[in-house]
Amino acid sequence: MVEGNDDLSFDDFSSPPEEQESPVINSTPSARPNQKRSKNFSEQEDQLLVSAWLNISTDPIQGTNQTKGSFWTRVYDYYHSNKEFTSDRSQSSLLHRWKGILVNVYKFCGCVTRIEGRNQSGMRSGSKWHLRINLVTKNKRQPWI
């Protein structure tokens, strides 16, 4: 035992430690506090989002040497600097919409793979395209996006 520590009681340890406030980090707007769900994305907004994603992801200067946060910040900046319509979409909103578009892209790629795998003789590429569209509309009765 260590001598000289007899005057400590367990009551000194019963209160919680003082809470420290975490520092506020300024970043691009990623959420709208106290607001409900916004309206659906229009076709124009979807096209601009896809364009922004393609341009940022194929940038030869940055390449793949960027974090998820910096990538989506650049997509957000591109989106808002090139829009020709009114839109106040947040970075988080763009990311979530992109995930929805990606689901449909994967479904379409699956349909294309199935048709290409059939390898039917005498089938031209135009006929294969019509088969793809028919397969997709049979699986899903609404527009792609």
Side-chain angles (χ1 to χ4, degrees), residues 28-48:
T28 59
S30 62
R32 292 185 233 160
N34 301 326
Q35 286 191 353
K36 297 198 183 242
R37 184 180 161 108
S38 63
K39 63 181 179 134
N40 292 339
F41 275 71
S42 68
E43 190 172 328
Q44 277 184 314
E45 289 175 306
D46 284 343
Q47 289 174 354
L48 182 58

Side-chain angles (χ1 to χ4, degrees), residues 30 32 38 41 89-98:
S30 62
R32 292 185 233 160
S38 63
F41 275 71
R89 303 294 183 177
S90 66
Q91 185 176 337
S92 175
S93 177
L94 295 176
L95 174 63
H96 284 89
R97 180 59 185 149
W98 177 251

Side-chain angles (χ1 to χ4, degrees), residues 49-100:
L49 177 57
V50 169
S51 175
W53 188 89
L54 284 171
N55 283 310
I56 300 304
S57 64
T58 58
D59 182 10
I61 296 171
Q62 288 291 329
T64 57
N65 297 327
Q66 50 190 334
T67 63
K68 176 183 174 184
S70 67
F71 176 81
W72 281 102
T73 299
R74 293 182 66 215
V75 169
Y76 173 84
D77 292 339
Y78 181 96
Y79 180 88
H80 285 287
S81 64
N82 292 298
K83 66 182 179 183
E84 297 175 352
F85 45 84
T86 57
S87 175
D88 61 343
R89 303 294 183 177
S90 66
Q91 185 176 337
S92 175
S93 177
L94 295 176
L95 174 63
H96 284 89
R97 180 59 185 149
W98 177 251
K99 288 178 182 178

Side-chain angles (χ1 to χ4, degrees), residues 1-2 10 22 36 48 64 94 105 111 113 126 132 136 142-143:
M1 291 189 129
V2 178
F10 289 108
S22 59
K36 297 198 183 242
L48 182 58
T64 57
L94 295 176
V105 169
C111 291
T113 302
R132 292 175 192 141
V136 167
Q142 55 187 345

